[in-house]
Amino acid sequence: MIKNILITGAKGQLGSELGRLYAQYPEFNFIPTDIDELDLTDKTAVSAFVSDNQIDCIVNCAAYTAVDRAEDEIEWCYKINRDAVRNLAEVACEKAVIIHISTDYVFDGKATTPYKETDQTHPQSVYGKSKREGEEILQLVCPQSIIIRTAWLYSAFGNNFVKTMLRLAKERPELNVVYDQKGTPTYAADLAQAILSMIVFTEKTNRWYPGVYHYSNEGQTSWFHFTEKILQFAEINGCQVNPITTGQYPTKAARPVYSVLDKTKIKKTFQLIVPEWEDSLKKCILKLS
Ligand SMILES: NC(=O)c1ccc[n+]([C@@H]2O[C@H](COP(=O)([O-])OP(=O)(O)OC[C@H]3O[C@@H](n4cnc5c(N)ncnc54)[C@H](OP(=O)(O)O)[C@@H]3O)[C@@H](O)[C@H]2O)c1
């Protein structure tokens, strides 16, 4: 039976959205932490925390997520995305179940149909490689863990693409945005709700469902079209959005040109209904305005 749930990275986008839902789940005792309270790279501290608080379940939202900066801060990126995951797995596996969050950047983007959990990974960036190694270590040390790969995460909290575009659109007459990268935005509030529904489902069915799962909102789009919708829903009319190619917008880290995720497995296993990305974007914009 799950009672005490440790949320790591609680001040990040996903962690903050989980925090908004705690009151709806009085059957659980949520213990939110971020790097100030519990640095996951400190294995001794993690071990003591898990024991002292009798943790039954860990939702690991902590990560190094600065994709371009990671190309320079390689060691620090691996410390958080790989070594900290190993720490969690090694100290907690016998005491708690682990739900770990990963990324679409474990794929190279050469696919033309939505990625399934069984598809070959081939990360192209330091961030993607570090996240993939975190997955591998978790599966090796604690094979009963759940790994949820998500994509293009945004929320009303923290820094993300939606908030950046809203700010820039108010400052500039036009924006050039890449149109040849396809994926699906994910409202972190939806993912947070999905994670808690999954935990409730496991409690109800008295079973745990280990493995890798894909979760994003429904549908697909490009960064260009995503930006058009952000401005439309925010009713910002004074800024023109121009489509450009990836080649016209060089970044330090390579991104997958296609990273749409197939969500069949997570929907079927946990009986989840996944909102369309445009509907969720509207909700987030409403919250921001
Ligand atoms: N953002 C995206 O577009 C995206 C896309 C796909 C997958 N994901 C994955 O989704 C998950 C959640 O992402 P997010 O956007 O919510 O991330 P986020 O906003 O960057 O939050 C991550 C949190 O983890 C904290 N953290 C960093 N190092 C830590 C450590 N050593 N110990 C404890 N906490 C630490 C960060 O603190 P500081 O801010 O102080 O560093 C931050 O509060 C991550 O696993 C990420 O890889 C994200």
Side-chain angles (χ1 to χ4, degrees), residues 2-10 18 22 29-34 37-38 40 45-47 49-51 53-61 88 91-92 96-99 199:
I2 292 174
K3 178 76 189 156
N4 297 325
I5 304 180
L6 168 61
I7 309 288
T8 65
L18 278 162
Y22 296 160
N29 174 33
F30 293 99
I31 303 165
T33 64
D34 208 286
E37 298 87 22
L38 180 61
L40 297 181
V46 176
S47 179
F49 196 95
V50 169
S51 297
N53 293 282
Q54 298 178 4
I55 299 298
D56 309 305
C57 176
I58 299 171
V59 182
N60 184 28
C61 308
L88 273 180
V91 308
V97 286
I98 299 174
I99 299 177
I199 296 173

Side-chain angles (χ1 to χ4, degrees), residues 8-16 33-42 46 60-67 69 76 79-81 84 100-105 127 131 148-155 157-161 186 188 191 215 223 261:
T8 65
K11 290 183 185 152
Q13 293 193 78
L14 180 58
S16 300
T33 64
D34 208 286
I35 191 161
D36 297 338
E37 298 87 22
L38 180 61
D39 179 353
L40 297 181
T41 63
D42 182 347
V46 176
N60 184 28
C61 308
Y64 180 107
T65 56
V67 176
R69 210 172 341 124
W76 187 230
K79 235 181 147 193
I80 298 167
N81 291 347
H100 173 66
I101 313 302
S102 192
T103 172
D104 55 332
Y105 282 23
Y127 168 74
K131 292 293 288 185
I148 305 173
R149 294 188 187 130
T150 190
W152 296 27
L153 207 61
Y154 68 90
S155 87
F157 301 100
N159 296 318
N160 54 63
F161 185 80
T186 306
L191 176 56
Y215 185 96
W223 293 109
L261 300 174

Side-chain angles (χ1 to χ4, degrees), residues 151-219:
W152 296 27
L153 207 61
Y154 68 90
S155 87
F157 301 100
N159 296 318
N160 54 63
F161 185 80
V162 173
K163 289 170 81 175
T164 303
M165 289 301 122
L166 286 173
R167 177 174 50 79
L168 292 177
K170 284 172 193 156
E171 291 169 10
R172 299 181 188 176
E174 54 184 332
L175 291 174
N176 298 331
V177 187
V178 170
Y179 77 88
D180 56 359
Q181 288 175 25
K182 297 255 170 354
T184 313
T186 306
Y187 186 23
D190 293 338
L191 176 56
Q193 184 65 73
I195 291 168
L196 296 180
S197 300
M198 288 164 71
I199 296 173
V200 168
F201 188 82
T202 65
E203 289 288 277
K204 252 195 216 151
T205 56
N206 207 19
R207 256 189 74 190
W208 188 251
Y209 303 83
V212 179
Y213 296 89
H214 287 173
Y215 185 96
S216 66
N217 280 123
E218 291 285 13

